[in-house]
Amino acid sequence: MTSDFAMAGSVAIIVLAVTYNTGMFGLSRRRHRRAEGRSRPRLYVFILACLNEEKVIAASLERITSLHGDNFVAMVIDDASDDGTARVVRDIGSPKVALYQRKLPNARRGKGAALNAGLRRLRDAKIVRRYDPDDVIVCVVDADGRLDPHILQEVNPHFDDPTTGAVQVGVRMYNRKQGLLARLQDMEFVVYGDIFQSARQHIGSVGMGGNGQFMRLSALDSLPGDPWSDCLTEDLDLGVRLLAQGWRNSHCLTAAVHQQAVLSLGRLLRQRSRWFQGHMQAARLAPLILRKIAPRPAVDLLYHLSSPVLLLLTSLLPLSFLVAFAGTVIASIVSGHVLLSPWWLPWFYLMTFGVASAYTYVYRKREPDLGILRSLLLGHVYVLYGYIWFVSGWWAVGRTVRGRQTWLKTART
């Protein structure tokens, strides 16, 4: 009886996930038409919050200062680094790069605190005061982020719609060829952007990421309190709060920011546990979503916020499947004939790997050189790769139960 109940619950969760993923894939294939508006001269300000980033910051600033266009600047927030980050930034010697150094004890209080401090500093800058806040676009870039050269030309038309408060670009791994783990992380971000974010463009629930998020200064100013929270996933928090203020978030498919994939499984689990814990913290946004956001995007956002619970429940599926399978095998031995239907294998494959073909299709459009067979195999491996969230999720739960809310940043290589 217990095994039957567990199996029924397992099937229900799988059916919900497969139905949602299939629906989002279908919706993502539809073309999205941007609202037309009048293009205006805009100032783009790239903000990079850095703590001990001397290994990667020079390459990121080199890409930013080489962007196509003239009307942009970069501000590096050195959050009391004890390595050579500040020295590397000064050595760039570009008039488009400014350095803001924070000092202890006010520094090192999280990425959100550093970004808020940088934004306060930015509002006082002479170059910003020459523009209407609607025409100042703030872009958060990770210290290892490398922007596509044409990114300004691709993002700018999105802001011609005066209701657009923020634009999120795609994310890629610039070291995706350095092993299977890096390749799977690249596929993860492509799948998320090209399927889920593209579908949310039609729903009105596009989320913000921590890297490559562009926001109007006026949209940030409209938020009550500081724009960035102390949540471990301050980007998710910010995206929901912008929607609640009546702004529209947009997703740009035609440009990306490239970041460094984690090459160690241990570091990857640690990173995803931090994200998972931040996602659990974001559950506090549910009342705001119910009060301020329209029903259609609210339903998707609430489903998105419930994903930690669903993932933890899903992590129990392999165990419940083994219990049910073992029970059937024992019953078959006792009865003297096979009780397991031969149809269970294709059904199991469909429910487990059915989405692999969709992931393969989307990723191969970005990486055509992989070939069909290799892409299809990668799609199946990617489904298994998703199981890392089970380990990360329970790790995050353990930290939450113990009251541990802070994390050390992911080390660069």
Side-chain angles (χ1 to χ4, degrees):
M1 185 69 178
T2 303
S3 62
D4 290 342
F5 179 78
M7 181 57 71
S10 301
V11 171
I13 294 174
I14 292 175
V15 169
L16 175 64
V18 171
T19 301
Y20 178 77
N21 290 347
T22 301
M24 296 296 273
F25 175 76
L27 194 57
S28 70
R29 298 306 94 190
R30 291 173 51 189
R31 287 178 59 89
H32 178 78
R33 293 183 179 180
R34 288 197 304 267
E36 296 296 330
R38 185 168 62 90
S39 185
R40 299 157 58 107
R42 298 186 178 100
L43 173 68
Y44 282 82
V45 181
F46 298 97
I47 298 182
L48 299 88
C50 298
L51 174 59
N52 297 334
E53 300 285 10
E54 68 173 339
K55 294 179 180 178
V56 295
I57 188 63
S60 298
L61 289 174
E62 182 180 355
R63 293 291 289 260
I64 289 176
T65 54
S66 301
L67 290 175
H68 299 162
D70 298 316
N71 218 21
F72 64 88
V73 294
M75 179 170 66
V76 176
I77 306 168
D78 179 25
D79 204 29
S81 298
D82 50 25
D83 68 351
T85 298
R87 173 185 52 78
V88 171
V89 175
R90 290 193 192 96
D91 289 346
I92 297 292
S94 170
K96 289 186 175 295
V97 177
L99 174 64
Y100 169 39
Q101 286 187 275
R102 303 186 74 213
K103 304 294 184 181
L104 295 172
N106 295 322
R108 296 197 179 190
R109 297 192 175 186
K111 182 179 178 181
L115 291 173
N116 288 325
L119 187 63
R120 288 191 290 270
R121 178 90 166 205
L122 178 66
R123 289 190 182 107
D124 294 331
K126 291 182 180 179
I127 189 172
V128 171
R129 292 203 299 266
R130 293 203 296 263
Y131 287 84
D132 186 303
D134 280 340
D135 299 324
V136 177
I137 311 300
V138 177
C139 176
V140 175
V141 185
D142 283 353
D144 64 333
R146 302 180 185 181
L147 299 165
D148 281 340
H150 61 290
I151 201 163
L152 295 180
Q153 288 70 36
E154 298 299 325
V155 168
N156 198 55
H158 288 265
F159 286 106
D160 291 343
D161 178 358
T163 67
T164 297
V167 177
Q168 176 64 49
V169 300
V171 178
R172 300 294 305 273
M173 303 296 116
Y174 61 73
N175 60 335
R176 56 185 172 272
K177 295 182 180 179
Q178 288 185 257
L180 180 61
L181 196 60
R183 176 65 75 177
L184 289 169
Q185 290 170 71
D186 186 58
M187 188 174 190
E188 180 180 17
F189 279 93
V190 168
V191 166
Y192 178 72
D194 288 14
I195 295 181
F196 295 98
Q197 289 279 65
S198 293
R200 290 180 180 131
Q201 186 87 347
H202 299 282
I203 298 173
S205 56
V206 170
M208 291 293 103
N211 199 6
Q213 53 179 346
F214 292 75
M215 299 143 295
R216 288 187 201 271
L217 181 58
S218 57
L220 295 175
D221 289 343
S222 73
L223 297 173
D226 289 328
W228 289 277
S229 70
D230 58 357
C231 181
L232 289 173
T233 47
E234 77 291 327
D235 47 356
L236 170 62
D237 188 281
L238 176 62
V240 172
R241 292 171 61 221
L242 286 171
L243 292 173
Q245 284 298 111
W247 294 97
R248 179 180 180 83
N249 296 340
S250 186
H251 177 59
C252 178
L253 271 171
T254 52
V257 57
H258 302 251
Q259 65 187 39
Q260 187 180 90
V262 179
L263 301 180
S264 158
L265 181 59
R267 287 181 177 178
L268 181 64
L269 289 171
R270 180 186 181 88
Q271 180 191 68
R272 300 312 161 89
S273 292
R274 171 166 51 87
W275 294 358
F276 197 100
Q277 189 172 358
H279 212 117
M280 290 192 296
Q281 293 173 346
R284 64 189 180 186
L285 296 169
L288 178 66
I289 293 171
L290 291 170
R291 288 198 319 268
K292 294 284 192 106
I293 297 179
R296 191 183 185 198
V299 169
D300 183 64
L301 288 170
L302 290 173
Y303 179 87
H304 187 51
L305 290 182
S306 70
S307 59
V309 175
L310 294 175
L311 274 167
L312 292 175
L313 291 174
T314 304
S315 70
L316 303 176
L317 297 185
L319 179 61
S320 63
F321 173 78
L322 288 175
V323 170
F325 183 77
T328 304
V329 170
I330 293 172
S332 298
I333 295 173
V334 171
S335 65
H337 62 277
V338 177
L339 299 177
L340 194 63
S341 169
W343 289 103
W344 78 271
L345 186 57
W347 173 254
F348 172 79
Y349 174 83
L350 180 64
M351 298 305 290
T352 304
F353 295 103
V355 294
S357 57
Y359 298 157
T360 298
Y361 171 77
V362 168
Y363 192 63
R364 190 164 184 270
K365 290 185 71 174
R366 296 285 183 179
E367 295 285 303
D369 293 341
L370 283 178
I372 296 177
L373 291 179
R374 188 180 174 193
S375 297
L376 189 60
L377 178 61
L378 190 66
H380 284 71
V381 175
Y382 175 74
V383 173
L384 300 176
Y385 162 81
Y387 289 3
I388 67 168
W389 285 105
F390 298 162
V391 180
S392 299
W394 286 110
W395 185 2
V397 169
R399 285 181 52 85
T400 301
V401 170
R402 296 194 304 273
R404 302 179 65 183
Q405 303 294 329
T406 59
W407 284 83
L408 295 175
K409 61 185 286 295
T410 303
R412 314 290 186 193
T413 58

